[in-house]
Amino acid sequence: MTIRIKKRSTGKNLRTEVEKRAEVDLATCYQCKKCSIGCPVSGLVASPPAEIIRRLQLGAGDELLQTDLVWTCLSCETCYARCPNEINFAGIIDAMRAIALEKGVARPAGNSPLFNRRFLDTVKSYGRAYDLQMIVGYKLGTGKLMDDVEKFPTMLKKGKMAILPPSGADKSKVKRIFNAAKSKGKSR
Amino acid sequence: MKYAYYPGCASHSTARDMHESCLAVAKALGIDLQEIKGWTCCGASAAHQTDRILAAALPAANLLLAKEMNLDMVVNCAACYSRSKNTNYDVVNSPAVRKKVKNALGQDYDGSVAVRHFVEVLSHDLGPAKLKKAVKQPLNGLKVASYYGCYLLRPPEVTGFDNPENPTLLENLVEAIGGEALEWPGKVECCGGALNLTRTDITVARSAAIIEIAKAAGAECIVTACPMCQTSLDLRQLDMVKTTGKTYNMPVLYITQLIGLSLGIPPKELGINRLMVPPKAVLQALNL
Ligand code: SF4
Ligand code: SF4
């Protein structure tokens, strides 16, 4: 692998911030690469898991938040399960996602942040997820309105997609949680 | 056997069949599932990809309701199970998270409610031997690939479900109802479900690879205990023909659907008609 680190980007803050949020100690990674070998998307991304860790160790800066694995990661937790040093790499990715969202630099292919917002919007409104509204909202946002439409009639017929919004949840409790949580589930 | 039951949002939408078959099987086996009143969304992957406190506080709200009921919480959705287990792990191991969750909920949660997957209840509390006795319609050696995916198994120190590299709980249940549990190397792979709508290409490729492995092992059907896996492997088969040129026609059932059939429960009550790939081979093996 070739690792390029931007000149003058100390990266100290990114590594420190990631270590703090994910509660990991990156000094314990000895680059055995078990995480990368087990990762189902290693072959698809610019930098597989062990390389991301090496970059953080070497002092990469915020440019690393743009690396494609941040939003291509499937959260399958294979990296964490197989790491001999119990480094929670899936947690590192979640921390990088949160930092990227806060800094407004998350612009991945497929736009998972938009999907997550539309999902959480429905949770905030109904106390439970409402697939139909979430999917329409996401598709409107990405302009990929026609993807999967051929499946909808069958799904609706088979009852695989609720038409009406969910009811029965304690909505006020969910609102309280969203208001208290840092992100507040707001559209950014 | 009495539990607080958390159905999860998918139980009323994309995974109604998971919910229906769970309730039908529980009833037939005398397992009392008391639905938690007013339950709310666990936040799923959207919450943990966004904010750690949101990800812990949403499941904690339901865990507190289960605590008031003084019962273990049974979850049948592998994703909700994972989020609830992660919450327990986080509040126990991180005082900072516990404090922030308390602040968000206005109530302290100590991580003490046991979270059980319905497969764990069937495997440990009921046990395969008792299940076997209840079988009315054995599977006649139907070749079944048991597929676990990620949420039940990983991280093992959080879920504690089974051996993370070679789990066998599902196989034991399949054998108990008269199926042939196949040895196959795909059972702990990831289906790519987390990106089902955002990077459908990845989900389709991952899921097609898993179906290929199951097919090579001689599987007549795949069973799963996760609605994300079920959707990836079943619904996304319709897209696989475009990338692989193959029509697999591989039935993908919830383990509770297969168990329900073996208990003589009518297919309709198990939501069998909701599967995108009709499980013809399975119904034939059972003379249905
Ligand atoms: S498995 Fe662990 S120790 Fe090995 S390279 Fe990955 S993070 Fe480092
Ligand atoms: S959790 Fe993400 S980074 Fe880790 S193995 Fe899975 S896809 Fe790869």
PDB file of all heavy atoms in Angstrom, chain B residues 51-61 83 87 90-91 97 101 105:
ATOM      1  N   ASP B  51     -25.263   9.366  15.723  1.00  0.00           N
ATOM      2  CA  ASP B  51     -24.941   9.904  17.036  1.00  0.00           C
ATOM      3  C   ASP B  51     -24.989   8.801  18.087  1.00  0.00           C
ATOM      4  O   ASP B  51     -25.958   8.054  18.175  1.00  0.00           O
ATOM      5  CB  ASP B  51     -25.961  10.996  17.383  1.00  0.00           C
ATOM      6  CG  ASP B  51     -25.665  11.654  18.716  1.00  0.00           C
ATOM      7  OD1 ASP B  51     -24.796  12.534  18.752  1.00  0.00           O
ATOM      8  OD2 ASP B  51     -26.303  11.266  19.720  1.00  0.00           O
ATOM      9  N   ARG B  52     -23.940   8.691  18.867  1.00  0.00           N
ATOM     10  CA  ARG B  52     -23.813   7.579  19.810  1.00  0.00           C
ATOM     11  C   ARG B  52     -24.866   7.630  20.923  1.00  0.00           C
ATOM     12  O   ARG B  52     -25.337   6.584  21.394  1.00  0.00           O
ATOM     13  CB  ARG B  52     -22.407   7.605  20.422  1.00  0.00           C
ATOM     14  CG  ARG B  52     -22.074   6.354  21.169  1.00  0.00           C
ATOM     15  CD  ARG B  52     -20.609   6.237  21.463  1.00  0.00           C
ATOM     16  NE  ARG B  52     -20.392   5.136  22.389  1.00  0.00           N
ATOM     17  CZ  ARG B  52     -19.316   5.013  23.144  1.00  0.00           C
ATOM     18  NH1 ARG B  52     -18.363   5.917  23.068  1.00  0.00           N
ATOM     19  NH2 ARG B  52     -19.194   4.008  23.951  1.00  0.00           N
ATOM     20  N   ILE B  53     -25.236   8.828  21.359  1.00  0.00           N
ATOM     21  CA  ILE B  53     -26.206   8.929  22.446  1.00  0.00           C
ATOM     22  C   ILE B  53     -27.609   8.597  21.955  1.00  0.00           C
ATOM     23  O   ILE B  53     -28.368   7.881  22.613  1.00  0.00           O
ATOM     24  CB  ILE B  53     -26.152  10.330  23.102  1.00  0.00           C
ATOM     25  CG1 ILE B  53     -24.739  10.588  23.638  1.00  0.00           C
ATOM     26  CG2 ILE B  53     -27.186  10.449  24.211  1.00  0.00           C
ATOM     27  CD1 ILE B  53     -24.165   9.502  24.541  1.00  0.00           C
ATOM     28  N   LEU B  54     -27.948   9.090  20.762  1.00  0.00           N
ATOM     29  CA  LEU B  54     -29.224   8.726  20.147  1.00  0.00           C
ATOM     30  C   LEU B  54     -29.301   7.204  20.022  1.00  0.00           C
ATOM     31  O   LEU B  54     -30.321   6.589  20.333  1.00  0.00           O
ATOM     32  CB  LEU B  54     -29.298   9.381  18.756  1.00  0.00           C
ATOM     33  CG  LEU B  54     -30.656   9.467  18.076  1.00  0.00           C
ATOM     34  CD1 LEU B  54     -31.614  10.304  18.903  1.00  0.00           C
ATOM     35  CD2 LEU B  54     -30.513  10.064  16.678  1.00  0.00           C
ATOM     36  N   ALA B  55     -28.189   6.601  19.585  1.00  0.00           N
ATOM     37  CA  ALA B  55     -28.138   5.154  19.363  1.00  0.00           C
ATOM     38  C   ALA B  55     -28.342   4.361  20.648  1.00  0.00           C
ATOM     39  O   ALA B  55     -28.858   3.253  20.617  1.00  0.00           O
ATOM     40  CB  ALA B  55     -26.811   4.765  18.723  1.00  0.00           C
ATOM     41  N   ALA B  56     -27.937   4.925  21.778  1.00  0.00           N
ATOM     42  CA  ALA B  56     -28.094   4.212  23.052  1.00  0.00           C
ATOM     43  C   ALA B  56     -29.413   4.565  23.739  1.00  0.00           C
ATOM     44  O   ALA B  56     -30.047   3.710  24.367  1.00  0.00           O
ATOM     45  CB  ALA B  56     -26.926   4.524  23.984  1.00  0.00           C
ATOM     46  N   ALA B  57     -29.850   5.816  23.615  1.00  0.00           N
ATOM     47  CA  ALA B  57     -31.043   6.257  24.349  1.00  0.00           C
ATOM     48  C   ALA B  57     -32.334   5.675  23.763  1.00  0.00           C
ATOM     49  O   ALA B  57     -33.263   5.347  24.504  1.00  0.00           O
ATOM     50  CB  ALA B  57     -31.114   7.781  24.374  1.00  0.00           C
ATOM     51  N   LEU B  58     -32.405   5.530  22.429  1.00  0.00           N
ATOM     52  CA  LEU B  58     -33.638   5.004  21.821  1.00  0.00           C
ATOM     53  C   LEU B  58     -33.933   3.573  22.301  1.00  0.00           C
ATOM     54  O   LEU B  58     -35.041   3.304  22.779  1.00  0.00           O
ATOM     55  CB  LEU B  58     -33.581   5.098  20.293  1.00  0.00           C
ATOM     56  CG  LEU B  58     -33.763   6.516  19.709  1.00  0.00           C
ATOM     57  CD1 LEU B  58     -33.420   6.553  18.219  1.00  0.00           C
ATOM     58  CD2 LEU B  58     -35.182   7.033  19.920  1.00  0.00           C
ATOM     59  N   PRO B  59     -32.970   2.638  22.231  1.00  0.00           N
ATOM     60  CA  PRO B  59     -33.268   1.299  22.779  1.00  0.00           C
ATOM     61  C   PRO B  59     -33.479   1.323  24.295  1.00  0.00           C
ATOM     62  O   PRO B  59     -34.296   0.554  24.820  1.00  0.00           O
ATOM     63  CB  PRO B  59     -32.020   0.476  22.439  1.00  0.00           C
ATOM     64  CG  PRO B  59     -31.356   1.213  21.327  1.00  0.00           C
ATOM     65  CD  PRO B  59     -31.665   2.666  21.559  1.00  0.00           C
ATOM     66  N   ALA B  60     -32.766   2.209  25.003  1.00  0.00           N
ATOM     67  CA  ALA B  60     -32.892   2.246  26.464  1.00  0.00           C
ATOM     68  C   ALA B  60     -34.329   2.557  26.883  1.00  0.00           C
ATOM     69  O   ALA B  60     -34.813   2.061  27.917  1.00  0.00           O
ATOM     70  CB  ALA B  60     -31.921   3.273  27.055  1.00  0.00           C
ATOM     71  N   ALA B  61     -35.041   3.361  26.086  1.00  0.00           N
ATOM     72  CA  ALA B  61     -36.428   3.687  26.414  1.00  0.00           C
ATOM     73  C   ALA B  61     -37.273   2.412  26.501  1.00  0.00           C
ATOM     74  O   ALA B  61     -38.090   2.246  27.415  1.00  0.00           O
ATOM     75  CB  ALA B  61     -37.010   4.633  25.359  1.00  0.00           C
ATOM     76  N   ARG B  83     -29.028  -3.636  18.504  1.00  0.00           N
ATOM     77  CA  ARG B  83     -29.030  -2.279  19.069  1.00  0.00           C
ATOM     78  C   ARG B  83     -29.300  -2.313  20.580  1.00  0.00           C
ATOM     79  O   ARG B  83     -28.721  -1.550  21.342  1.00  0.00           O
ATOM     80  CB  ARG B  83     -30.065  -1.375  18.379  1.00  0.00           C
ATOM     81  CG  ARG B  83     -29.837  -1.002  16.927  1.00  0.00           C
ATOM     82  CD  ARG B  83     -28.387  -0.778  16.522  1.00  0.00           C
ATOM     83  NE  ARG B  83     -27.634   0.091  17.404  1.00  0.00           N
ATOM     84  CZ  ARG B  83     -26.306   0.119  17.481  1.00  0.00           C
ATOM     85  NH1 ARG B  83     -25.579  -0.673  16.738  1.00  0.00           N
ATOM     86  NH2 ARG B  83     -25.701   0.947  18.288  1.00  0.00           N
ATOM     87  N   THR B  87     -26.724  -1.249  23.563  1.00  0.00           N
ATOM     88  CA  THR B  87     -27.077  -0.274  24.589  1.00  0.00           C
ATOM     89  C   THR B  87     -26.719  -0.794  25.973  1.00  0.00           C
ATOM     90  O   THR B  87     -26.095  -0.090  26.775  1.00  0.00           O
ATOM     91  CB  THR B  87     -28.581   0.053  24.512  1.00  0.00           C
ATOM     92  OG1 THR B  87     -28.828   0.702  23.264  1.00  0.00           O
ATOM     93  CG2 THR B  87     -29.019   0.956  25.651  1.00  0.00           C
ATOM     94  N   ASP B  90     -23.001  -0.632  26.309  1.00  0.00           N
ATOM     95  CA  ASP B  90     -22.503   0.746  26.406  1.00  0.00           C
ATOM     96  C   ASP B  90     -22.785   1.376  27.768  1.00  0.00           C
ATOM     97  O   ASP B  90     -21.918   2.014  28.346  1.00  0.00           O
ATOM     98  CB  ASP B  90     -23.131   1.605  25.300  1.00  0.00           C
ATOM     99  CG  ASP B  90     -22.126   1.922  24.209  1.00  0.00           C
ATOM    100  OD1 ASP B  90     -21.035   1.322  24.208  1.00  0.00           O
ATOM    101  OD2 ASP B  90     -22.433   2.788  23.355  1.00  0.00           O
ATOM    102  N   VAL B  91     -24.013   1.233  28.284  1.00  0.00           N
ATOM    103  CA  VAL B  91     -24.309   1.886  29.568  1.00  0.00           C
ATOM    104  C   VAL B  91     -23.554   1.215  30.721  1.00  0.00           C
ATOM    105  O   VAL B  91     -23.200   1.862  31.697  1.00  0.00           O
ATOM    106  CB  VAL B  91     -25.822   1.992  29.910  1.00  0.00           C
ATOM    107  CG1 VAL B  91     -26.562   2.831  28.905  1.00  0.00           C
ATOM    108  CG2 VAL B  91     -26.465   0.633  30.034  1.00  0.00           C
ATOM    109  N   VAL B  97     -21.606   7.494  28.693  1.00  0.00           N
ATOM    110  CA  VAL B  97     -22.800   7.182  27.903  1.00  0.00           C
ATOM    111  C   VAL B  97     -24.010   7.045  28.829  1.00  0.00           C
ATOM    112  O   VAL B  97     -25.081   7.590  28.569  1.00  0.00           O
ATOM    113  CB  VAL B  97     -22.593   5.894  27.058  1.00  0.00           C
ATOM    114  CG1 VAL B  97     -23.902   5.425  26.453  1.00  0.00           C
ATOM    115  CG2 VAL B  97     -21.567   6.139  25.957  1.00  0.00           C
ATOM    116  N   VAL B 101     -27.387   9.186  28.521  1.00  0.00           N
ATOM    117  CA  VAL B 101     -28.656   8.497  28.271  1.00  0.00           C
ATOM    118  C   VAL B 101     -29.669   8.893  29.344  1.00  0.00           C
ATOM    119  O   VAL B 101     -30.839   9.150  29.064  1.00  0.00           O
ATOM    120  CB  VAL B 101     -28.443   6.955  28.235  1.00  0.00           C
ATOM    121  CG1 VAL B 101     -29.763   6.215  28.314  1.00  0.00           C
ATOM    122  CG2 VAL B 101     -27.699   6.559  26.968  1.00  0.00           C
ATOM    123  N   LEU B 105     -33.274  10.610  28.656  1.00  0.00           N
ATOM    124  CA  LEU B 105     -34.525   9.936  29.009  1.00  0.00           C
ATOM    125  C   LEU B 105     -35.192  10.518  30.243  1.00  0.00           C
ATOM    126  O   LEU B 105     -36.369  10.271  30.484  1.00  0.00           O
ATOM    127  CB  LEU B 105     -34.250   8.451  29.283  1.00  0.00           C
ATOM    128  CG  LEU B 105     -33.886   7.572  28.091  1.00  0.00           C
ATOM    129  CD1 LEU B 105     -33.399   6.222  28.565  1.00  0.00           C
ATOM    130  CD2 LEU B 105     -35.092   7.399  27.187  1.00  0.00           C
TER     131      LEU B 105
END
